Amino acid sequence: MQLHNRDFQRNWRVDDTDDDKSPRGIDFEAIFAIVRRQWLVVAVCIAVALALGVVNIITAVPLYTASTKILIDRGNSEVVQQLSTIGGVTDDEPTVLSQVELLMSDTVALTVVDKLDLSNDPTFMTARPSLIQTIMGTVRSLVTVTGWLGSKPADIPTSEEKRRAAADAVLANMSVMRVDRTYVLEVSYRSPSADMAARVANAIGDSYLVDKLNSKYDATRRASDWLQDRIAELRQKALDSDLAVQKFRGEHGLVAAGSVLMSDQQLSELNSALIVAQSDTSKAQARLERIENIIASGQSDAMVTDLLDNPVANELRQKYLAASKRETEISDRLGSSHIQAARLRSEMAEYQRQMFAELNRIAESYKSDLDVAIAREKNLTQSVSQATGVSATANLTQVQLRELEREAETYKNLYQTFLQRYQEAIQQQSFPVTEARIITNAVPPAGPSHPKKPLTLALFFLLGAAAGASVGGWREYRDRFFRTGKQVQDYLGLEFLGMTPLVVNAAGRAKSDVQQKPGLIQKTSPLVTYVVEHPLSPFAETLRSAKIAADLRFSDKPCKVIGVVSSLPAEGKSAISINFAELLARQGSKTLLIDADLRNPGTTRAIARHADAGLLEALLDGQDLDRLLLSDDATGLSVLPAVVRQRTPHSSELLASSGMRGLLKKVSEQYDYIVVDLPPLGPVVDARAIADRVDGFIFVAEWGATARRVAIEVLNANPQVRDKCIGVILNKVDQDRLKLYHDYGSNDYYYSRYSRYYHESS
């Protein structure tokens, strides 16, 4: 039966939370519930904040704001950049933002102070604080520990300190803002005086322009001074490097004609002459070989060029040809043996001999020319070799020479460049142009700009709302108590039996003449008879739910022993025990109520304060139980009180003793229900000691007071009680506040519909 009931509870919880498994975003229902619960806190904080805002508006010193506008002029900047790159500014966004920082600098502020003599202006140096500022100053002085020990008299400030204080005041009350994405800066100053605001705003603009001019002049002056020193240094280095080049040329004989060294030019000429000499040698060799071949072959008709130009050779050839012609004619006419023909052939032989002699003479001339050409070629070859060695040496030396020449050229160019920059810097010093100008001068404002009443009230409203939301959120975060039955099921995993509303006790004792008789209980408060006097109330309905749960779970037992426990004292478990027992008795069941809280017997104090003996006497002295019982003649309820005259340190042993076992066994044969009011689970272990003798437990938790963590821990520490727990009752429920914790669709949400079934009157 117990396992079946757990499965029923688990399945019911799963079915109840099926809707929660659907994906959803923000839990607006939870947010609205928090708003319903904490709206009063938020409203109070907003009201207090608005009151402070009104006080601030009433007591605030009116302030006037004057503005001047400064344009970062691109035209002037371009003129300056054309004249010189020194001190030029590019008008990009970082540059504009840099000008904002310049306007907010101490340099401009001190210039304004000196220009307007603000450090000696009493109107400017003394400001009337508002009421809130006065209060804050007073509080600050009170919380300052050093002020408690007494303060030494303040020193008279020096002129420089006053000047710095005035500059700080200027910076504190001025603001600089860029107008949209333009190159315009709006400088605003706030002061209690409209004229003072306009004067200071205009002075800030003028000081800014003067500072720009001074900074440009200083920059160009510093640049020209640096350039002058650098030029002198570069001039000397250019001279030294040029002198080193010339000296190196002289030491290594690197004489040049124009851009070409003399050694290279001489080598080129010798190479050209050598080529010509080699050609001449080849030509002479060819002529000599040709004429020698002619002479060796004896060819009289072979000719050479020099032979044709030789008059002697030409004359001999003419004579040879004439004799040959005549010899041929005589031989043809008179025969070859004719004496005249023979004489002519003799002459022809002589002419031929003379011709070859002339050829030999020419050959000797060719041979002489060949020897001359060979000698010249040899000499030129030797000269070229010598010149090549000289040129190679010069080329190796030229590497160092070229390095010296490059260094000299570099210093020369640097010197010329810096000299030009120096001239430009000199001109720049006397050129009074800045890249900024004032386009709108400040005028005294017609009305105050502070305080802005709507904005101030809106700000205080938001601050109050934020403070209220923070306080409300903190209260919600700290509210970790049981408020709804769903929380009981989610955190404890136990069946929720219902809620018993908070009952305000009537003053004095309940009036009943019958209760004064011996052997009857005496009800000291209407609370202990509430279920009898209001049988149709929600209080009684919750206890009926507990009875049904017990009957369903222990239907096979003729007598049901039900213990009532809680986590902590003062949660109302004794009141629940008495009313639950009276409900059972009123419904016709024989019921016994046992006060087993031997350390703090709340049931006995409520209905049996007059008893002189009870549970302790039954267990320790073995007194007759019938004599110890008290009864209620209205319901027939029997009560076994606990009369504690001194502390009982061994109460858990008494409840776990065989005497207690025997007592429960005996009364189980006489009653249908035995309700045992047990001590709370947190402070003592008495409930754990008697857990095996109790059929089921009703766990009582005070609504809005019992922390969920405490209930979870005590139940986890007492598994026997948890396993036998019939369900949980939330006691002392504030019905007015309960509706603030209702979830849409929950059982409590529809309380207004089914509350007609409840009636507080009997």
Side-chain angles (χ1 to χ4, degrees), residues 400-423:
Q400 302 179 15
L401 176 62
R402 283 193 291 270
E403 178 64 26
L404 292 175
E405 288 177 343
R406 282 195 295 269
E407 183 178 358
E409 187 66 20
T410 300
Y411 281 120
K412 178 181 177 182
N413 293 334
L414 284 175
Y415 173 69
Q416 293 176 352
T417 301
F418 274 75
L419 186 62
Q420 181 182 0
R421 293 286 183 88
Y422 175 72
Q423 297 298 329

Short mmCIF file of all heavy atoms in Angstrom, two decimals, residues 400-423:
data_model
loop_
_atom_site.label_atom_id
_atom_site.label_comp_id
_atom_site.label_asym_id
_atom_site.label_seq_id
_atom_site.Cartn_x
_atom_site.Cartn_y
_atom_site.Cartn_z
N GLN A 400 85.57 50.18 -52.37
CA GLN A 400 85.65 51.10 -51.24
C GLN A 400 85.39 52.53 -51.69
O GLN A 400 84.75 53.32 -50.97
CB GLN A 400 87.02 51.00 -50.58
CG GLN A 400 87.36 49.60 -50.09
CD GLN A 400 88.74 49.53 -49.45
OE1 GLN A 400 89.33 50.54 -49.14
NE2 GLN A 400 89.23 48.32 -49.28
N LEU A 401 85.86 52.85 -52.90
CA LEU A 401 85.64 54.20 -53.41
C LEU A 401 84.16 54.48 -53.61
O LEU A 401 83.66 55.56 -53.23
CB LEU A 401 86.40 54.39 -54.72
CG LEU A 401 86.20 55.75 -55.42
CD1 LEU A 401 86.71 56.88 -54.53
CD2 LEU A 401 86.90 55.77 -56.78
N ARG A 402 83.43 53.52 -54.17
CA ARG A 402 82.01 53.74 -54.40
C ARG A 402 81.24 53.88 -53.08
O ARG A 402 80.29 54.64 -52.98
CB ARG A 402 81.43 52.58 -55.22
CG ARG A 402 81.78 52.67 -56.71
CD ARG A 402 80.95 51.71 -57.52
NE ARG A 402 81.29 50.33 -57.26
CZ ARG A 402 82.21 49.62 -57.93
NH1 ARG A 402 82.91 50.21 -58.91
NH2 ARG A 402 82.47 48.38 -57.64
N GLU A 403 81.66 53.11 -52.06
CA GLU A 403 81.02 53.24 -50.75
C GLU A 403 81.23 54.64 -50.18
O GLU A 403 80.31 55.27 -49.65
CB GLU A 403 81.57 52.18 -49.80
CG GLU A 403 81.00 52.24 -48.38
CD GLU A 403 79.51 51.95 -48.35
OE1 GLU A 403 79.01 51.25 -49.27
OE2 GLU A 403 78.85 52.44 -47.42
N LEU A 404 82.45 55.13 -50.32
CA LEU A 404 82.72 56.50 -49.85
C LEU A 404 81.93 57.52 -50.65
O LEU A 404 81.43 58.51 -50.10
CB LEU A 404 84.23 56.78 -49.96
CG LEU A 404 85.12 55.98 -49.00
CD1 LEU A 404 86.59 56.26 -49.31
CD2 LEU A 404 84.82 56.33 -47.55
N GLU A 405 81.80 57.29 -51.95
CA GLU A 405 81.05 58.22 -52.78
C GLU A 405 79.57 58.23 -52.41
O GLU A 405 78.92 59.27 -52.37
CB GLU A 405 81.22 57.86 -54.26
CG GLU A 405 82.63 58.17 -54.79
CD GLU A 405 82.79 57.73 -56.23
OE1 GLU A 405 81.95 56.91 -56.67
OE2 GLU A 405 83.74 58.18 -56.89
N ARG A 406 79.00 57.02 -52.15
CA ARG A 406 77.59 56.97 -51.75
C ARG A 406 77.37 57.69 -50.42
O ARG A 406 76.37 58.39 -50.23
CB ARG A 406 77.14 55.51 -51.63
CG ARG A 406 76.85 54.84 -52.97
CD ARG A 406 76.08 53.56 -52.78
NE ARG A 406 76.85 52.56 -52.05
CZ ARG A 406 77.64 51.65 -52.63
NH1 ARG A 406 77.73 51.60 -53.96
NH2 ARG A 406 78.31 50.77 -51.92
N GLU A 407 78.28 57.48 -49.46
CA GLU A 407 78.15 58.16 -48.18
C GLU A 407 78.20 59.66 -48.35
O GLU A 407 77.43 60.42 -47.76
CB GLU A 407 79.25 57.68 -47.24
CG GLU A 407 79.17 58.27 -45.83
CD GLU A 407 80.26 57.74 -44.92
OE1 GLU A 407 81.05 56.89 -45.38
OE2 GLU A 407 80.31 58.17 -43.75
N ALA A 408 79.13 60.10 -49.20
CA ALA A 408 79.25 61.54 -49.45
C ALA A 408 77.99 62.08 -50.11
O ALA A 408 77.51 63.17 -49.78
CB ALA A 408 80.47 61.80 -50.33
N GLU A 409 77.40 61.32 -51.06
CA GLU A 409 76.19 61.77 -51.73
C GLU A 409 75.00 61.82 -50.76
O GLU A 409 74.17 62.73 -50.82
CB GLU A 409 75.87 60.81 -52.88
CG GLU A 409 74.73 61.25 -53.77
CD GLU A 409 75.03 62.51 -54.56
OE1 GLU A 409 76.23 62.83 -54.71
OE2 GLU A 409 74.07 63.17 -54.99
N THR A 410 74.95 60.85 -49.84
CA THR A 410 73.86 60.83 -48.85
C THR A 410 73.91 62.05 -47.94
O THR A 410 72.90 62.72 -47.72
CB THR A 410 73.94 59.55 -48.01
OG1 THR A 410 73.81 58.41 -48.86
CG2 THR A 410 72.82 59.51 -46.97
N TYR A 411 75.07 62.32 -47.42
CA TYR A 411 75.21 63.49 -46.56
C TYR A 411 74.92 64.78 -47.33
O TYR A 411 74.35 65.74 -46.79
CB TYR A 411 76.60 63.54 -45.96
CG TYR A 411 76.77 62.60 -44.78
CD1 TYR A 411 77.71 61.60 -44.81
CD2 TYR A 411 75.98 62.73 -43.65
CE1 TYR A 411 77.88 60.73 -43.74
CE2 TYR A 411 76.13 61.88 -42.58
CZ TYR A 411 77.07 60.87 -42.62
OH TYR A 411 77.21 60.02 -41.56
N LYS A 412 75.26 64.79 -48.58
CA LYS A 412 75.00 65.98 -49.39
C LYS A 412 73.50 66.19 -49.56
O LYS A 412 72.99 67.32 -49.40
CB LYS A 412 75.67 65.82 -50.75
CG LYS A 412 75.43 66.98 -51.71
CD LYS A 412 76.10 66.73 -53.04
CE LYS A 412 75.79 67.87 -54.01
NZ LYS A 412 76.42 67.60 -55.35
N ASN A 413 72.78 65.11 -49.87
CA ASN A 413 71.32 65.23 -50.03
C ASN A 413 70.64 65.60 -48.72
O ASN A 413 69.71 66.42 -48.69
CB ASN A 413 70.74 63.91 -50.56
CG ASN A 413 71.21 63.61 -51.97
OD1 ASN A 413 71.55 64.52 -52.73
ND2 ASN A 413 71.24 62.33 -52.32
N LEU A 414 71.06 64.96 -47.60
CA LEU A 414 70.48 65.30 -46.30
C LEU A 414 70.73 66.76 -45.95
O LEU A 414 69.85 67.45 -45.43
CB LEU A 414 71.06 64.39 -45.20
CG LEU A 414 70.53 62.96 -45.15
CD1 LEU A 414 71.30 62.17 -44.10
CD2 LEU A 414 69.05 62.95 -44.82
N TYR A 415 71.88 67.20 -46.23
CA TYR A 415 72.22 68.59 -45.94
C TYR A 415 71.33 69.55 -46.72
O TYR A 415 70.78 70.52 -46.17
CB TYR A 415 73.69 68.82 -46.28
CG TYR A 415 74.11 70.28 -46.17
CD1 TYR A 415 74.18 70.91 -44.94
CD2 TYR A 415 74.40 71.00 -47.33
CE1 TYR A 415 74.56 72.25 -44.86
CE2 TYR A 415 74.77 72.34 -47.25
CZ TYR A 415 74.85 72.96 -46.01
OH TYR A 415 75.20 74.27 -45.93
N GLN A 416 71.11 69.24 -47.99
CA GLN A 416 70.25 70.11 -48.80
C GLN A 416 68.79 70.06 -48.33
O GLN A 416 68.11 71.08 -48.26
CB GLN A 416 70.34 69.68 -50.28
CG GLN A 416 71.70 69.94 -50.89
CD GLN A 416 71.79 69.42 -52.33
OE1 GLN A 416 70.88 68.73 -52.79
NE2 GLN A 416 72.89 69.75 -53.01
N THR A 417 68.32 68.83 -47.97
CA THR A 417 66.94 68.70 -47.50
C THR A 417 66.72 69.44 -46.19
O THR A 417 65.74 70.20 -46.03
CB THR A 417 66.59 67.22 -47.30
OG1 THR A 417 66.75 66.53 -48.54
CG2 THR A 417 65.16 67.05 -46.82
N PHE A 418 67.59 69.26 -45.22
CA PHE A 418 67.43 69.92 -43.93
C PHE A 418 67.61 71.44 -44.07
O PHE A 418 66.98 72.20 -43.34
CB PHE A 418 68.44 69.36 -42.92
CG PHE A 418 67.95 68.13 -42.22
CD1 PHE A 418 67.92 66.92 -42.87
CD2 PHE A 418 67.49 68.20 -40.92
CE1 PHE A 418 67.46 65.78 -42.24
CE2 PHE A 418 67.03 67.07 -40.27
CZ PHE A 418 67.00 65.85 -40.93
N LEU A 419 68.43 71.85 -45.00
CA LEU A 419 68.59 73.29 -45.22
C LEU A 419 67.29 73.89 -45.74
O LEU A 419 66.87 74.99 -45.32
CB LEU A 419 69.74 73.54 -46.20
CG LEU A 419 70.12 75.01 -46.43
CD1 LEU A 419 70.59 75.64 -45.12
CD2 LEU A 419 71.22 75.13 -47.50
N GLN A 420 66.60 73.15 -46.64
CA GLN A 420 65.31 73.61 -47.14
C GLN A 420 64.26 73.62 -46.04
O GLN A 420 63.49 74.58 -45.92
CB GLN A 420 64.87 72.71 -48.30
CG GLN A 420 63.55 73.12 -48.92
CD GLN A 420 63.12 72.18 -50.03
OE1 GLN A 420 63.83 71.21 -50.33
NE2 GLN A 420 62.00 72.47 -50.64
N ARG A 421 64.22 72.56 -45.21
CA ARG A 421 63.28 72.52 -44.09
C ARG A 421 63.54 73.67 -43.10
O ARG A 421 62.60 74.22 -42.52
CB ARG A 421 63.38 71.18 -43.37
CG ARG A 421 62.92 69.99 -44.17
CD ARG A 421 61.41 69.97 -44.26
NE ARG A 421 60.93 68.80 -44.97
CZ ARG A 421 60.68 67.63 -44.39
NH1 ARG A 421 60.87 67.50 -43.09
NH2 ARG A 421 60.22 66.61 -45.09
N TYR A 422 64.77 73.99 -42.92
CA TYR A 422 65.10 75.07 -41.99
C TYR A 422 64.54 76.40 -42.48
O TYR A 422 63.98 77.19 -41.71
CB TYR A 422 66.61 75.15 -41.81
CG TYR A 422 67.07 76.32 -40.96
CD1 TYR A 422 66.85 76.31 -39.59
CD2 TYR A 422 67.70 77.42 -41.53
CE1 TYR A 422 67.26 77.37 -38.80
CE2 TYR A 422 68.10 78.48 -40.76
CZ TYR A 422 67.88 78.46 -39.39
OH TYR A 422 68.26 79.51 -38.62
N GLN A 423 64.66 76.64 -43.76
CA GLN A 423 64.11 77.88 -44.32
C GLN A 423 62.58 77.90 -44.17
O GLN A 423 62.00 78.94 -43.85
CB GLN A 423 64.51 77.98 -45.80
CG GLN A 423 66.01 78.09 -46.04
CD GLN A 423 66.62 79.33 -45.40
OE1 GLN A 423 65.97 80.37 -45.28
NE2 GLN A 423 67.88 79.23 -44.98
#
